[in-house]
Amino acid sequence: MKKKGHTPITRVKNPEPHISDPDWIVWAAWADRITFEEIEQKTGKTEAEVIKIMRRSIKPVSFRLWRKRVNQKSIKHRKKFEYSRKEITSKIKKNDYL
């Protein structure tokens, strides 16, 4: 029989650290959905400062993988994301999916 009133705790592989924690910047830099502009808005760290923090905080191999991923993804920079979104929507016509 199960105990009444017990709710299980969902565990996440990489939970989000508190924003005041220095590890938050590393976590946010790895997250694809958080842009450099949002990191700067929340912490005051520019993209160059985030890169320096990442270089110091993670292994060299991991840093190279991260830089490669950031340069390939258009969503880490707000302007590139908006530009790619406009390109996609301009290619899609309304009658294509109706």
Side-chain angles (χ1 to χ4, degrees):
M1 291 178 65
K2 290 184 179 181
K3 293 182 182 178
K4 291 185 178 180
H6 175 70
T7 55
I9 299 172
T10 305
R11 295 188 183 195
V12 182
K13 187 175 183 181
N14 290 326
E16 180 179 350
H18 194 268
I19 197 160
S20 63
D21 190 13
D23 290 337
W24 187 86
I25 294 174
V26 175
W27 176 85
W30 271 109
D32 289 334
R33 67 184 185 275
I34 301 176
T35 62
F36 285 120
E37 289 83 5
E38 290 175 36
I39 295 172
E40 184 174 2
Q41 185 181 31
K42 290 182 180 182
T43 63
K45 304 285 185 192
T46 63
E47 180 181 351
E49 292 171 332
V50 171
I51 292 170
K52 286 179 185 177
I53 290 169
M54 291 295 284
R55 187 174 278 133
R56 283 191 316 251
S57 301
I58 59 178
K59 294 185 274 186
V61 174
S62 298
F63 177 75
R64 278 184 241 125
L65 287 171
W66 175 75
R67 284 300 291 163
K68 184 178 178 183
R69 198 165 132 228
V70 166
N71 288 332
Q72 289 175 349
K73 297 259 183 198
S74 63
I75 58 176
K76 279 308 266 189
H77 298 278
R78 177 62 60 195
K79 286 182 181 178
K80 286 183 181 179
F81 175 69
E82 289 171 355
Y83 178 74
S84 67
R85 180 67 67 190
K86 285 178 185 176
E87 270 188 1
I88 291 169
T89 55
S90 68
K91 290 179 183 177
I92 298 172
K93 296 176 186 173
K94 285 189 176 182
N95 294 334
D96 288 349
Y97 56 88
L98 289 177

